[in-house]
Amino acid sequence: MSSQTHVVLPNRTDREEWLQRQHWLPDWQQMWDAAFLRLSDAFDPYERGEITVSMRQGIGMIFVLGLAAGLLPFLGNLWVSLRAGTAAPLAAAALSLTELASAYAGAPALNAAANTTSLLAGVEPRMPGFLAALLSSLGLWLNTPLGWLSSWIVYGAFVAALARLFGATNRLQTFFAATSFAAAPMLLTGLAPIPLLGPLAVVAAWLWAAIFYYQAVRYVTRLDPVRTLLCMALPPAVAALTATLFALFVALLLLIG
């Protein structure tokens, strides 16, 4: 049955819909409202009394904002790697270690590491140098939105699971649709390569995003502040504790061996 009739079958979507921007991105005004913590305007711009943003729109927004945030680092990586005529990671490692070695000229191990990395960066790649520089820089650029998406999904799944344990009744799609707007302040991380301003922008972006994420979780789950903070803090705390215990276990094995 056609979805153009007065009867719309569930889970049926027009093919043309997948090519329309509004089905992959919320309005720019909604992103702007989210950046300034106006949650009700971002989630419910049509005042329908519910979150009208879809998880698909959240995925598209995170990907686009990740590309925008990675644009300036991409240009920097491309410039450095084109000058070195090699892949971006090798060129960046050689440059950073060389600068570090010049700052600490009395460290023989650091000088040796810098010289070795510079030697590796100077090795002729199997493909033309400009092509290696371009493709590796593009890969690092695409890694930004993909990393944002993976962090959003993995961390959000743990937070949503804890919220359910604490009594939340919201749907998972609604949770991810709401928390996806935390990517809006993360756009400031694109200023990271700028001296002095970059580190401040990164810190501000993370703090801003954390505040928004907290507000979004409370908005969706209707949990009190204490349980909301526990939902957000427990996953990284458990991950850090697990990594610490694993490192101690490996160190103990090395000492015993």
Side-chain angles (χ1 to χ4, degrees):
M1 184 179 294
S2 173
S3 61
Q4 299 297 328
T5 65
H6 66 283
V7 178
V8 179
L9 295 179
N11 300 324
R12 290 291 298 272
T13 303
D14 290 339
R15 290 185 178 180
E16 292 79 7
E17 179 179 318
W18 292 86
L19 303 178
Q20 297 174 1
R21 185 206 63 82
Q22 65 267 26
H23 296 294
W24 284 101
L25 284 173
D27 292 335
W28 300 113
Q29 184 61 43
Q30 290 176 261
M31 298 186 222
W32 184 260
D33 291 333
F36 287 93
L37 302 179
R38 296 192 288 264
L39 274 67
S40 58
D41 294 331
F43 298 158
D44 186 21
Y46 308 109
E47 298 182 357
R48 298 174 182 173
E50 60 182 12
I51 295 178
T52 56
V53 184
S54 67
M55 186 176 174
R56 191 203 313 173
Q57 288 176 314
I59 292 173
M61 174 176 58
I62 291 175
F63 192 83
V64 170
L65 291 178
L67 285 179
L71 181 58
L72 190 58
F74 161 71
L75 295 176
N77 288 329
L78 185 61
W79 171 253
V80 171
S81 56
L82 282 176
R83 290 184 61 187
T86 187
L90 276 177
L95 180 62
S96 60
L97 281 176
T98 301
E99 293 177 351
L100 193 61
S102 62
Y104 298 94
L110 190 57
N111 290 329
N115 292 334
T116 302
T117 308
S118 298
L119 182 63
L120 290 174
V123 173
E124 187 69 22
R126 297 180 66 88
M127 64 175 63
F130 77 93
L131 191 57
L134 177 61
L135 293 179
S136 60
S137 299
L138 281 174
L140 291 175
W141 186 22
L142 289 176
N143 188 57
T144 300
L146 294 178
W148 285 17
L149 284 171
S150 60
S151 300
W152 169 63
I153 292 174
V154 173
Y155 177 69
F158 283 105
V159 175
L162 288 172
R164 280 299 184 94
L165 291 177
F166 289 146
T169 58
N170 59 282
R171 295 185 303 131
L172 191 61
Q173 294 87 345
T174 305
F175 177 88
F176 277 113
T179 55
S180 65
F181 280 97
M186 292 297 291
L187 190 61
L188 290 175
T189 59
L191 302 177
I194 301 178
L196 299 179
L197 177 62
L200 294 177
V202 171
V203 172
W206 278 102
L207 289 176
W208 205 342
I211 293 172
F212 178 87
Y213 202 95
Y214 166 80
Q215 296 285 357
V217 173
R218 281 208 65 193
Y219 188 97
V220 173
T221 62
R222 307 299 180 186
L223 295 177
D224 58 79
V226 174
R227 286 185 292 177
T228 303
L229 287 174
L230 283 175
C231 290
M232 293 179 58
L234 281 178
V238 171
L241 179 61
T242 303
T244 302
L245 292 176
F246 180 75
L248 290 175
F249 177 72
V250 172
L252 183 61
L253 288 179
L254 292 175
L255 287 176
I256 294 176

